[in-house]
Amino acid sequence: MSKIIVIGAGIVGLSCAWSAQRRGHQVTLIDPDFEGDRASHGNAGGIGVAECIPLSLAGLGLKPLKWLVDPLGPLSVRASHAPKLLPWFLALRKVALPENYLRSATALAALNDRSLQAFEAILADTGLSSTLHKRGALTVYESAQAFEREKATWDLKRVLGVRWHRVDRAQIRALEPALAPVFEMGVMNEDWAHIDDPKQVVSALRNRVQSFGASLVKGQVAAIHAPRGAVPLLHLSDGATVSGDKVVVATGAWSAALARSVGDRVLLESERGYNTTLPYCGYELSREVIFAERQFVATPLSVGLRIGGAAEFASLAAPANYQRSDALLQLARKFITRLDERDAKPWMGQRPATPDSLPVISKSAKNAHIYYAFGHGHLGLTQGPATGELMADLLEDKASAIHLSPYSITRF
């Protein structure tokens, strides 16, 4: 039995802890605020196993430029952060090369293929199986031409194992009567699912891990002292130190600084996502709806209808711009009828994004006692439990069900 230190108590870190415990290891979790808000809490609630296409700006023409000059558009970069983003952006451009694009898509699909089953195992163990709804997700298009522009992407998804079928205008109306009658066609993502409340899952998993004997240490890890071959020593911001046989870094968008303290290089940015939750709605839709041209989603959760989307690149310390949440709500008014906007709750979360859209699930290149589990972008909730399984294999030097080289930190 090893003493495993997991830094970070979001869905990824908790999943790593849960899986390690089931292999018989002793776990200590370190987090600045176990009850505090995090990206795991405020996401759209979708288990997006169909999302296997890496981010790429290729083929979009002038769209990205138009988005960037619109401060409330689906993609924005804070001017003060633009210079720091340059290396990440240059790496993103390489993703568009056909061989790189297909490599990333294949690796995403391999991870997603394990995700729903792994997620269901955690829900069963925490007594939350009934909160998962396997109703698919509906992507809607305002014009057939818009779908045709994305047809190659859908075809690639099918090749990679994603099940989907087209639906026409009448079928959209039958599936989701609350949608405005402006959508010519849509796509049903057959294997997509959604949960009632992401925060509920995170809280229940944390309680379950603690009930199995995990120690919870409240603190901020400032740096990791890890000479090659030596057991790591974690330095907390209050001056305390913690050590263990093996350390898993799962601090989301904050992971890059800890990796640098070890000597590992990573390209990681905060792709900040915004949403608005309407607590008195939720019954309007029966599944997650993805508005293709407008780049936003709406999901019926037990805590209300959550309307989210957009990507804003800014520093971790930059204040939130909740006008972006308001802009998403304005879009929803156009396409969803009968919205009850009382007590609308805006939110912003720091999504950890790599330029190739792949997470880091890897042993450190500098110290064999340190492991990484971060960089899941939009798919932290989806891929967290599967990442936990793969991390448990890494911790025990066992072969995994999928090849882990695409997720290695050495790729940077």
Side-chain angles (χ1 to χ4, degrees):
M1 179 177 71
S2 297
K3 181 179 179 182
I4 309 296
I5 309 294
V6 178
I7 313 173
I11 187 66
V12 175
L14 289 171
S15 295
C16 291
W18 185 83
S19 293
Q21 285 181 318
R22 272 148 189 75
R23 305 288 182 94
H25 300 292
Q26 180 185 348
V27 172
T28 296
L29 276 163
I30 304 177
D31 195 272
D33 185 358
F34 288 96
E35 301 287 346
D37 190 32
R38 60 194 72 237
S40 304
H41 289 176
N43 62 68
I47 310 303
V49 295
E51 293 298 281
C52 58
I53 301 300
L55 173 66
S56 173
L57 302 181
L60 295 179
L62 295 177
K63 271 188 179 180
L65 182 60
K66 293 177 180 178
W67 291 339
L68 288 172
V69 298
D70 178 1
L72 299 180
L75 175 64
S76 70
V77 178
R78 296 274 180 105
S80 59
H81 190 65
K84 183 178 182 296
L85 186 62
L86 183 59
W88 191 97
F89 180 75
L90 292 175
L92 173 65
R93 292 183 61 188
K94 295 180 182 178
V95 175
L97 297 174
E99 63 274 18
N100 294 338
Y101 188 80
L102 183 59
R103 186 184 305 115
S104 291
T106 302
L108 281 170
L111 184 55
N112 288 351
D113 189 53
R114 304 181 57 80
S115 293
L116 184 56
Q117 184 177 1
F119 200 92
E120 288 181 290
I122 281 179
L123 291 180
D125 189 55
T126 54
L128 294 177
S129 293
S130 64
T131 69
L132 179 72
H133 307 286
K134 297 180 179 181
R135 300 171 188 160
L138 182 63
T139 300
V140 290
Y141 291 89
E142 297 163 59
S143 71
Q145 292 81 4
F147 168 78
E148 288 301 325
R149 288 192 292 269
E150 296 187 357
K151 178 66 163 49
T153 296
W154 285 110
D155 288 342
L156 176 57
K157 286 185 176 183
R158 179 164 282 157
V159 168
L160 293 172
V162 174
R163 300 191 305 161
W164 60 270
H165 63 269
R166 297 194 199 193
V167 293
D168 60 23
R169 181 189 292 268
Q171 290 170 315
I172 291 172
R173 294 292 293 160
L175 287 165
E176 298 295 349
L179 293 179
V182 298
F183 300 105
E184 286 193 12
M185 66 162 298
V187 172
M188 177 59 72
N189 299 272
E190 298 173 22
D191 297 318
W192 200 289
H194 73 272
I195 58 173
D196 280 342
D197 180 6
K199 183 177 180 180
Q200 180 188 34
V201 173
V202 173
S203 297
L205 183 55
R206 183 180 65 248
N207 291 338
R208 190 65 169 152
V209 167
Q210 190 173 19
S211 74
F212 285 152
S215 300
L216 272 57
V217 176
K218 187 174 181 179
Q220 178 77 50
V221 178
I224 303 174
H225 181 65
R228 187 177 293 273
V231 174
L233 183 65
L234 310 184
H235 293 269
L236 277 58
S237 56
D238 63 2
T241 58
V242 180
S243 64
D245 299 320
K246 298 179 180 180
V247 174
V248 179
V249 177
T251 52
W254 288 266
S255 299
L258 291 180
R260 283 195 299 270
S261 74
V262 177
D264 287 307
R265 180 178 185 266
V266 62
L267 290 175
L268 187 72
E269 285 291 333
S270 172
E271 184 194 337
R272 294 143 61 104
Y274 289 82
N275 66 46
T276 295
T277 302
L278 304 179
Y280 297 101
C281 290
Y283 53 85
E284 288 81 6
L285 302 178
S286 58
R287 58 182 55 77
E288 186 165 355
V289 176
I290 303 161
F291 299 84
E293 289 106 317
R294 310 294 175 149
Q295 301 286 305
F296 79 101
V297 305
T299 313
L301 307 179
S302 62
V303 293
L305 185 68
R306 182 160 292 165
I307 301 156
E312 178 192 51
F313 289 92
S315 74
L316 290 169
N321 176 11
Y322 289 118
Q323 286 183 318
R324 299 185 66 80
S325 298
D326 296 338
L328 291 165
L329 182 55
Q330 290 175 28
L331 280 174
R333 292 184 191 122
K334 297 180 181 179
F335 300 112
I336 306 173
T337 60
R338 304 189 305 274
L339 290 181
D340 186 337
E341 299 181 24
R342 289 177 296 158
D343 300 330
K345 299 178 180 178
W347 179 88
M348 184 275 289
Q350 311 267 12
R351 297 181 296 214
T354 62
D356 60 6
S357 299
L358 293 175
V360 178
I361 308 171
S362 171
K363 183 180 289 190
S364 165
K366 303 298 182 180
N367 186 298
H369 299 275
I370 297 175
Y371 300 77
Y372 298 115
F374 60 80
H376 296 76
H378 296 244
L379 297 173
L381 184 69
T382 299
Q383 297 172 346
T387 296
E389 288 185 348
L390 297 171
M391 182 54 62
D393 290 335
L394 273 175
L395 290 168
E396 296 187 331
D397 291 321
K398 292 183 177 179
S400 294
I402 62 175
H403 293 294
L404 296 184
S405 56
Y407 320 102
S408 173
I409 199 164
T410 60
R411 72 186 193 268
F412 302 105

